[in-house]
Amino acid sequence: MSHQVELEERFQARIDAEQKIEPKDWMPDAYRKTLVRQISQHAHSEIVGMLPEGNWITRAPSLRRKVALLAKVQDEAGHGLYLYAAAETLGVSRDELYDELHTGKAKYSSIFNYPTLSWADIGAVGWLVDGAAIMNQVPLCKCSFGPYARAMVRVCKEESFHQRQGFEIMMTLSHGSPAQKQMAQDALNRWWWPSLMMFGPNDDASPHSAQSMKWKIKRYSNDDLRQKFVDVMVEQAEVLELTIPDPDIKWNEERGHYDFGEINWEEFHNIIRGNGPCNKERLAARKDAWDQGLWVREAATAYAAKRKKKAS
Amino acid sequence: MQEYLLHLADNALILGHRLSEWCGHGPALEIDMAMTNISLDLIGQARNLYAYAAELEGQGKTEDDLAYLRDVNGFRNVLLVEQPNGDFAQTIARSFFYDSYNYFYQKALCESHDKQLAAIAEKSLKEVAYHLRWSSEWAIRLGDGTEESKQKMQAAIDDLWSFRGELLTPAAYEIEAAKAGYGVNPLEIKEEVEKKLQEILLEATLDLPADGWMHSGGKTGRHSEHLGFILAEMQFLQRAYPDSTW
């Protein structure tokens, strides 16, 4: 047996035994690549995700809501930091990863290419988008790669707080004035389908899934997670007294799940290709912040070097 | 006392608002988070002060009534805090001027005879000490960083210099507050503020601009054009959907 095969078998055996892989352990190149792609995509999603919600900070309708939203968006920056740090343990720097984001080589979650048009969108994003993110992320707390799994434990704690906050905003609006209820329904109408798309393509069209499952980076299939999400959200929408914009939603006694309608995958792929309502704005905002901050980062580096020289 | 409390709260809210505009657009993730932190502190301070002012006013008013339902001429913040963010150096200069004043101000306010106000100041002081350290460190880093950053930092200091005077010129309600023992007359802290300013600018290798003509008006409700836009944005939902619960 060749050395390489032996290493791979030992690696897989550790994964099968639910042992964590740590940065200094041997790992197949493809495992490392998959993780860098996934973690960086996740980190970028946190950072780009600050923008649609940040859009309402200055317009939040009460000081209490303003403070909560600011803190939430700040949490997302923090999640980005943990995740970039987890990716760095695999040998890529944050600057390299930013570069891939800015040149369009790396992706981020397509959901953030939709606009936040009303205050209710802040509720809907918290409730649905963070809700979907939690479904995706809770299993990642048990991911085979140690630093990613540990980062996700912290992220998930905060995300579930955000989701409750989002639900509470929706609750306040849907039980408020008729205009507020209308605002909440309109937000649900716009965010429902994109949230379902957050779980990725159907299982038969998901190219990386099988390998990721074998490596225990992924624990559940896209369709299973999506179903779980629908089951939870249908009941929460009832509590909110809002209508999910899908006439096909119906309890299926036999399956023990809610049936739901067909997702518009053309829209999904179109947005991934860069044609969503806000793709250009989101990327431009990130790139501008980075480019315009260059002189600041250079100044900090130059100053630190001067200090070091003085001290020695 | 009402006007005095509003002055303190409005300063905090408007600067907090300006800093919150950076959220998601900072020069680095860590700086982004620091600015959001400071913004959160300031808006938190404003809430405490508005809640107290609303309580004193009675009539069932809330912090949000005071923040969201007054127009430009009702605001009592200094002109400095409503100035636009500009580039990062301008944001730092604005924060540094404000923090170096606010730190000594809150320190003095801890001695207020009004227990509630003294307690608010005590809580704020801890936060403000961090704000001052943060903006001073950045002023020094940018001043003594690269040629480009030095030039930008100096330009920002020069640009905003004329907004400093208002901080240290007492309005009638501040004189009244100091006399009554619940507030601070900024003249009492002038010396410490200027000393701190000179010390940091020296370390930042920046030139101290000459004291010339200074802007004023914010403290008595005569603002720059910027405040109207800040309020238009901030108050939009409360104005468009009156009497709603959020």
Side-chain angles (χ1 to χ4, degrees), chain B residues 95-171:
Chain B
S95 273
F96 172 59
F97 288 160
Y98 183 73
D99 299 342
S100 54
Y101 153 84
N102 197 27
Y103 173 74
F104 293 105
Y105 196 99
Q106 297 294 336
K107 213 168 149 185
L109 195 57
C110 290
E111 308 300 320
S112 170
H113 295 169
D114 184 280
K115 275 194 188 134
Q116 178 91 4
L117 200 47
I120 295 174
E122 214 157 296
K123 187 176 173 291
S124 305
L125 183 64
K126 282 185 205 130
E127 298 166 348
V128 171
Y130 160 72
H131 304 172
L132 176 59
R133 203 171 69 229
W134 184 82
S135 58
S136 302
E137 282 173 4
W138 272 107
I140 293 167
R141 245 179 238 133
L142 297 179
D144 194 17
T146 61
E147 260 318 300
E148 185 186 7
S149 70
K150 186 194 190 76
Q151 180 244 318
K152 285 193 154 90
M153 194 63 223
Q154 185 69 58
I157 296 280
D158 295 349
D159 268 1
L160 290 169
W161 192 254
S162 57
F163 290 103
R164 275 190 59 250
E166 192 184 9
L167 290 169
L168 296 165
T169 309

Side-chain angles (χ1 to χ4, degrees), chain A residues 47 50-51 56-67 70-71 73-74 77-78 80-81 84 94 98 119 172-173 177 179-180 183 285-286 289-290 293 295-300 302-303 306-307 310, chain B residues 13 17 20-21 23-33 36-37 39-40 43 47 50 63-64 67-68 87-89 138 140-142 144-146 148-149 152 203 233-234 236-238 241 244-246:
Chain A
I47 303 309
M50 293 169 74
L51 299 170
W56 278 89
I57 290 170
T58 55
R59 290 178 288 172
S62 71
L63 294 177
R64 181 172 82 91
R65 293 290 186 204
K66 189 188 288 290
V67 166
L70 252 176
V73 179
Q74 190 193 33
L81 268 185
Y84 286 121
R94 207 203 298 181
Y98 274 154
W119 170 250
T172 307
L173 294 175
S177 69
Q180 285 176 307
M183 201 188 274
R286 284 312 313 157
W290 188 245
W295 70 271
V296 177
R297 299 189 302 277
E298 282 174 352
Y303 177 74
K306 281 186 199 175
R307 292 280 295 212
K310 262 187 208 161
Chain B
L13 179 66
H17 179 98
S20 81
E21 293 173 351
C23 187
H25 306 275
L29 215 39
E30 290 82 351
I31 303 175
D32 208 300
M33 292 173 77
T36 305
N37 249 335
S39 171
L40 277 167
I43 297 172
R47 290 182 70 187
Y50 285 137
E63 55 176 31
D64 288 331
Y68 287 88
D87 65 14
F88 185 64
W138 272 107
I140 293 167
R141 245 179 238 133
L142 297 179
D144 194 17
T146 61
E148 185 186 7
S149 70
K152 285 193 154 90
E203 200 181 336
E233 203 171 326
M234 186 169 82
F236 146 67
L237 281 166
Q238 290 264 356
Y241 303 90
S244 303
T245 304
W246 300 95

Side-chain angles (χ1 to χ4, degrees), chain A residues 101-117:
Chain A
L101 172 68
H102 297 152
T103 56
K105 196 181 155 208
K107 300 282 180 222
Y108 57 87
S109 181
S110 276
I111 193 86
F112 301 120
N113 291 318
Y114 289 91
T116 48
L117 301 177

Side-chain angles (χ1 to χ4, degrees), chain B residues 28-86:
Chain B
L29 215 39
E30 290 82 351
I31 303 175
D32 208 300
M33 292 173 77
M35 285 192 280
T36 305
N37 249 335
I38 296 170
S39 171
L40 277 167
D41 286 345
L42 289 170
I43 297 172
Q45 291 169 17
R47 290 182 70 187
N48 289 331
L49 291 158
Y50 285 137
Y52 187 33
E55 185 192 318
L56 290 182
E57 215 173 306
Q59 305 163 345
K61 279 209 174 159
T62 67
E63 55 176 31
D64 288 331
D65 292 330
L66 294 174
Y68 287 88
L69 300 177
R70 281 179 302 144
D71 203 346
V72 168
N73 57 9
F75 272 71
R76 291 290 175 267
N77 59 280
V78 290
L79 298 174
L80 175 71
V81 295
E82 67 198 45
Q83 297 311 302
N85 287 339

